């Protein structure tokens, strides 16, 4: 009888394991009521206490699985949020953009309609700077001369083989009596060693109050022949009468014209 009771006691102690603790592999880890499992942070400042959302029923951690599984931590961010109730798509009508001074706007005005404009001067440099001035409503600027240009069919004559037509145009130098641009185009009948033709220093808008305005935008151009100096086109808008374009010759291209087309702030950016 005593032996039987001793064997039963031995079996109970063996099932409880060492120290009378439950086997860690058999049950999930638990947290005492009223406490929160500690969390760790990778921040260099060390351990950080869990953050709560301010909701009494929400803690900063969630623990799942058994002690043999990794603990899953659900991060909780600060509930202080940016108010986006008034944030929406940008209304272009309320957005102010800086003007582009190097390009024309969408709705330029005809050059001849520039307020206060009286005449237009072309400064051509064949032998020194020569001025050729035409009234805003004159026939020269409002008419496209037919080819071939000659001494009897030209607006400007440089040398005896150099003739030019001046007119209102579009950005590509196409004749347009309501164009916002000014064009000088023509022919020069001499190749190297002669210097290239169409030597335009500037084009000037002349106003009734005696003020003037040089071109500010090189719209387009055509250079031809062996005495064309590429890159000289910008001299037509540098506000310097001592420099000029050198657009070449038309000896081998009689059906084409040398050309320089300029734009002006007063017509491209009115107001």
């Amino acid at each position: 009888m005593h032996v039987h009771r001793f064997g039963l006691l031995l079996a109970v102690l063996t099932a409880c394991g060492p120290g009378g603790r439950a086997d860690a592999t058999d049950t999930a880890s638990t947290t005492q009521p009223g406490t929160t499992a500690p969390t760790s942070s990778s921040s260099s400042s060390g351990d950080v206490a869990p953050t709560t959302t301010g909701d009494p029923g929400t803690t900063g951690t969630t623990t799942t699985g058994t002690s043999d599984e990794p603990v899953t931590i659900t991060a909780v961010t600060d509930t202080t949020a940016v108010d986006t109730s008034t944030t929406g798509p940008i209304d272009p009508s309320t957005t102010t953009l800086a003007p582009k001074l190097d390009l024309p706007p969408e709705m330029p005005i005809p050059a001849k309609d520039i307020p206060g404009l009286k005449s237009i001067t072309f400064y051509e440099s064949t032998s020194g700077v020569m001025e050729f001035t035409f009234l805003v409503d004159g026939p020269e600027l409002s008419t496209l001369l037919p080819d071939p240009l000659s001494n009897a069919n030209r607006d400007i004559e440089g040398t005896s083989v150099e003739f030019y037509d001046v007119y209102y145009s579009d950005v590509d130098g196409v004749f347009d009596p309501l164009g916002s641009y000014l064009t000088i185009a023509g022919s020069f009948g001499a190749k190297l060693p002669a210097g290239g033709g169409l030597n335009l220093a500037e084009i000037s808008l002349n106003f009734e109050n005696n003020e003037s305005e040089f071109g500010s935008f090189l719209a387009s151009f055509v250079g031809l022949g062996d005495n064309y100096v590429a890159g000289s086109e910008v001299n037509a808008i540098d506000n310097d009468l001592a420099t000029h374009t050198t657009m070449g010759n038309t000896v081998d291209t009689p059906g084409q014209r040398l050309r320089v087309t300029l734009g002006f702030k007063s017509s491209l950016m009115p107001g």
Side-chain angles (χ1 to χ4, degrees), residues 17-257:
R21 292 181 294 109
D23 193 327
T25 62
D26 294 337
T27 60
S29 61
T30 61
T31 302
Q32 293 295 324
T35 65
T36 302
T39 62
S40 63
S41 171
S42 61
S43 171
S44 60
S45 61
D47 291 342
V48 179
T51 304
T52 65
T53 63
D55 182 352
T58 306
T59 65
T61 63
T62 300
T63 304
T64 63
T66 68
S67 60
D68 289 336
E69 299 176 351
V71 177
T72 302
I73 305 297
T74 302
V76 180
T77 59
D78 191 350
T79 57
T80 304
V82 178
D83 182 8
T84 60
S85 60
T86 59
T87 302
I90 297 175
D91 182 358
S93 66
T94 62
T95 303
T96 301
L97 299 176
K100 293 182 178 180
L101 299 181
D102 60 336
L103 295 174
E106 295 181 358
M107 295 298 293
I109 63 174
K112 72 180 188 64
D113 290 340
I114 296 173
L117 183 61
K118 179 177 62 176
S119 63
I120 297 171
T121 298
F122 293 77
Y123 295 87
E124 204 275 341
S125 301
T126 293
S127 54
V129 178
M130 298 184 292
E131 300 181 15
F132 298 87
T133 299
F134 307 97
L135 295 177
V136 171
D137 294 324
E140 295 87 358
L141 294 168
S142 301
T143 304
L144 179 67
L145 298 175
D147 287 323
L149 298 175
S150 65
N151 177 265
N153 180 43
R154 48 74 175 154
D155 293 324
I156 293 174
E157 180 176 350
T159 69
S160 59
V161 291
E162 187 176 20
F163 311 106
Y164 298 107
D165 187 9
V166 296
Y167 51 85
Y168 298 118
S169 75
D170 67 7
V171 67
D172 296 316
V174 176
F175 172 69
D176 181 357
L178 297 179
S180 301
Y181 300 81
L182 285 163
T183 289
I184 176 171
S187 60
F188 180 56
K191 304 173 68 172
L192 286 175
L198 209 171
N199 309 124
L200 178 67
E202 299 285 339
I203 301 176
S204 171
L205 304 181
N206 309 312
F207 295 90
E208 294 174 352
N209 61 2
N210 294 323
E211 292 183 355
S212 61
E213 176 188 336
F214 285 147
S216 57
F217 177 59
L218 178 63
S220 57
F221 56 89
V222 175
L224 301 167
D226 56 4
N227 47 15
Y228 163 47
V229 178
S232 66
E233 304 83 14
V234 295
N235 292 335
I237 57 170
D238 65 357
N239 296 346
D240 186 354
L241 293 178
T243 64
H244 58 74
T245 64
T246 303
M247 305 308 294
N249 72 81
T250 55
V251 174
D252 296 328
T253 54
Q256 300 184 53
R257 290 183 174 189

